[in-house]
Amino acid sequence: MSRGKLVRWGVPVAAVAVIGAAIGAGPVIAAVSGDPVLPERSAQQLLADAAAAVQKDGLPPMSGTVLETASLGLPALPQGAATASPLSLLSGSHEAKVWYGSRDQFRLAVPGPMNETNVIVNGDQTWLWESQTNKATRIKLAPGATDRPDRTQVSSAPAMTPQQAAEQLLSKVGEHSVVSVTNTTQVAGRSAYELVLAPKEGGSLIQDIRLALDGETYVPLRVQVYAKGSAEPAFEVGFTQVTFSAPAPENFTFTPPAGAKVEEKTLSAPKEAQQRREDFREGDVKTVGEGWTTVAVLPVPKADAPRSTAESGGQEAPSLETILRSATPVSGPWGSGKLIKTKLVSALFTDDGRLLVGAVTPEELTKAAGAR
């Protein structure tokens, strides 16, 4: 804009300079360029504000569209198996629609090329609907599975404020991570803070993890994981559209259509499921290393070993076979096996029946394989 135009509009240049200095040049420039600018927050302040918001009001009613994208460097998966297998999430982009009314009202819809899968929770009613097979599964909870601590129990259990909780979390994260915050991110048309965690260890494949929190509600809007040396995220899941208002009640109602096959399944009580997980961890899983270079070591039954995958059957077998065909034979003082390396994760199947996996370089895996 020319000085002449400013004079004609009756706005002295000196006044513009004074106002700019008073407000702060950075925010003014960002606002003019269209970048969203939120009040500055440290990592501790941001996490404390988010914890306080959840503790006070819980997750707000909302609905939106979520996009998950993975570019890990894996071989292309067979199209026939991709829609039926969770392994399909390791490649390409996948969209889902989400409705959230309360902790007892939730719906997730995952559309496919010619089908859709829905999970609908409405009070004590939980349904899984698969249009491709025309099958509706009513999910029941085992006795004791509906027990939930009330808000007073939750708030009184940990005797700490949101600020103390944030400080405690960051003290643990800070042992192995560099933490920073930006306030100019925008996700799904909303201004957001971005919490960035970067590893201090050199053996990790991860460059950083970026968590975007809505600037008004502090709801997580997006997670991005960047591999070292990559300008684009290797994995990303986030909203492309989101609205913070109560979804219409009809979004949570479901009646199996005429002719649909209806089944019932019962889920275990939380204590039983938790006990099974603890028994598995204590008896079968160990870890080597710390922080970002932690490697999990699991026993692999012979039937699940790479060389036997083709005979294992099931919907995931073709996809898993495709991934395993890209494995590289490796050997060392620790023994021999097959190595799979993606941008973010490495996995080693040893011939002596172990699976080592972590977000680490192959060198870190073979080092862990030699640790007994």
Side-chain angles (χ1 to χ4, degrees):
M1 183 178 292
S2 67
R3 186 175 185 277
K5 288 183 179 179
L6 286 174
V7 172
R8 286 200 302 271
W9 288 353
V11 182
V13 176
V16 174
V18 170
I19 294 172
I23 298 177
V28 169
I29 295 172
V32 171
S33 65
D35 292 334
V37 176
L38 294 166
E40 290 188 1
R41 294 280 191 279
S42 67
Q44 182 175 338
Q45 290 172 325
L46 179 61
L47 292 175
D49 289 344
V54 172
Q55 191 177 74
K56 179 182 177 183
D57 301 317
L59 189 67
M62 59 187 293
S63 60
T65 303
V66 176
L67 184 66
E68 181 264 345
T69 303
S71 178
L72 303 179
L74 289 170
L77 300 180
Q79 290 297 317
T83 57
S85 170
L87 291 175
S88 64
L89 297 177
L90 299 179
S91 178
S93 297
H94 307 271
E95 188 178 86
K97 295 186 180 297
V98 178
W99 296 261
Y100 180 84
S102 67
R103 62 188 304 179
D104 294 317
Q105 282 193 320
F106 173 77
R107 179 181 173 189
L108 173 69
V110 183
M114 298 293 290
N115 60 79
E116 184 171 279
T117 299
N118 277 253
V119 177
I120 306 107
V121 177
N122 191 14
D124 59 354
Q125 298 281 324
T126 301
W127 288 94
L128 171 63
W129 163 243
E130 301 167 284
S131 66
Q132 186 174 26
T133 56
N134 197 27
K135 178 181 174 182
T137 304
R138 183 177 178 180
I139 301 172
K140 291 186 175 182
L141 301 178
T146 56
D147 294 340
R148 293 175 177 170
D150 58 33
R151 180 167 294 183
T152 58
Q153 291 175 320
V154 172
S155 60
S156 62
M160 62 173 61
T161 66
Q163 289 77 14
Q164 291 172 327
E167 184 176 354
Q168 187 178 86
L169 174 62
L170 287 173
S171 67
K172 294 179 179 179
V173 171
E175 292 179 14
H176 304 282
S177 311
V178 177
V179 184
S180 60
V181 176
T182 62
N183 62 337
T184 58
T185 300
Q186 192 168 38
V187 179
R190 295 183 65 88
S191 299
Y193 292 99
E194 191 164 66
L195 186 68
V196 183
L197 306 174
K200 292 179 179 178
E201 295 91 346
S204 176
L205 293 175
I206 297 175
Q207 174 178 295
D208 57 48
I209 296 177
R210 307 178 189 183
L211 170 62
L213 300 175
D214 184 70
E216 181 181 350
T217 65
Y218 299 103
V219 169
L221 297 180
R222 185 182 65 196
V223 176
Q224 296 174 312
V225 185
Y226 282 77
K228 284 187 175 177
S230 297
E232 299 294 330
F235 178 83
E236 175 177 358
V237 58
F239 284 97
T240 57
Q241 180 275 325
V242 64
T243 301
F244 288 99
S245 59
E250 54 264 28
N251 287 302
F252 307 110
T253 59
F254 175 76
T255 301
K261 181 181 179 180
V262 180
E263 294 183 352
E264 288 193 356
K265 289 188 177 181
T266 302
L267 295 182
S268 301
K271 289 183 179 179
E272 296 174 5
Q274 178 67 21
Q275 186 61 52
R276 284 198 296 269
R277 288 194 295 268
E278 290 177 356
D279 291 342
F280 177 76
R281 285 197 298 264
E282 292 177 3
D284 300 316
V285 181
K286 73 172 186 177
T287 59
V288 178
E290 293 182 333
W292 298 75
T293 56
T294 299
V295 173
V297 184
L298 307 85
V300 181
K302 290 185 178 180
D304 296 331
R307 55 182 175 276
S308 303
T309 305
E311 302 171 2
S312 62
Q315 292 181 331
E316 296 188 10
S319 299
L320 190 55
E321 286 178 41
T322 301
I323 295 173
L324 291 172
R325 276 199 294 268
S326 67
T328 304
V330 292
S331 61
W334 50 269
S336 60
K338 292 184 178 180
L339 174 71
I340 298 173
K341 180 180 178 296
T342 72
K343 292 180 181 179
L344 294 179
V345 178
S346 297
L348 174 63
F349 291 90
T350 64
D351 292 340
D352 61 8
R354 292 176 293 159
L355 167 62
L356 293 89
V357 61
V360 297
T361 62
E363 292 76 18
E364 291 290 332
L365 276 191
T366 54
K367 185 192 304 181
R372 296 287 184 173

